[in-house]
Amino acid sequence: MTLQTLAAQLEALIGRERDPLPNLANASALIFHSLEGLNWAGFYLYKGGELVLGPFQGKPACVRIALERGVCGAAARQRRTLVVDDVHAFAGHIACDAASKSELVVPLIHDGRLLGVLDVDSPMLARFSQTDVQALQELCRVLVLSCDWPVALSSTGRG
């Protein structure tokens, strides 16, 4: 599967399903098994002012991440995609898996509300290209628009 078809493949998997949980689960599996060189792909959902582990593929992960910590927290706080070529050079990096060397995080935002983040890790330095960024941002756009997100998921709305 090419990166250009990733969002289309997700749209086919989602079909008419509007529940975020199965859609996030399928999206994490699709990403993990479609992109080479990953050791983790999944979602953290914004709840109660922090990021809480959601559906993922890979080794067990950190359950809660404060917005002041790690690449996920920074991407959520700044509301922008972050690509880190060497996570060990990123101040405050959270090492859930010591094998991770690079990371890409895309915030999920709908109508100005922070819903969570997509987090993708690799055991290779500088794994993520601009093509990866564009493909995963498009996939996240599809997810955000295809689900009925609970209002309580982003209770404070501003992170």
Side-chain angles (χ1 to χ4, degrees):
M1 175 182 318
T2 67
L3 288 175
Q4 291 76 19
T5 63
L6 204 57
Q9 181 67 29
L10 179 63
E11 285 178 325
L13 284 170
I14 288 174
R16 293 183 182 159
E17 182 58 56
R18 302 289 304 170
D19 188 321
L21 186 62
N23 290 341
L24 292 171
N26 273 335
S28 63
L30 178 66
I31 294 164
F32 190 77
H33 293 287
S34 297
L35 300 181
E36 293 183 19
L38 302 184
N39 62 334
W40 204 88
F43 296 89
Y44 281 91
L45 300 175
Y46 184 64
K47 294 181 180 183
E50 63 186 346
L51 297 171
V52 180
L53 183 64
F56 70 93
Q57 297 280 306
K59 291 183 179 180
C62 303
V63 174
R64 295 180 183 273
I65 299 176
L67 295 188
E68 298 78 30
R69 297 197 58 224
V71 181
C72 288
R77 188 176 66 252
Q78 297 172 22
R79 292 173 178 250
R80 67 181 181 97
T81 298
L82 292 180
V83 177
V84 178
D85 290 336
D86 180 357
V87 295
H88 301 293
F90 187 90
H93 173 252
I94 302 168
C96 294
D97 182 350
S100 292
K101 293 183 179 171
S102 61
E103 187 168 4
L104 188 162
V105 180
V106 181
L108 303 173
I109 298 170
H110 186 261
D111 290 337
R113 293 182 353 187
L114 175 65
L115 303 171
V117 298
L118 164 63
D119 181 22
V120 184
D121 297 344
S122 173
M124 302 182 310
L125 289 171
R127 158 62 183 87
F128 302 104
S129 68
Q130 189 57 35
T131 301
D132 295 321
V133 169
Q134 292 169 345
L136 293 174
Q137 286 176 328
E138 177 61 16
L139 181 138
C140 287
R141 187 192 69 76
V142 167
L143 266 175
V144 164
L145 296 175
S146 298
C147 296
D148 294 327
W149 298 94
V151 174
L153 191 62
S154 61
S155 56
T156 63
R158 285 288 148 204

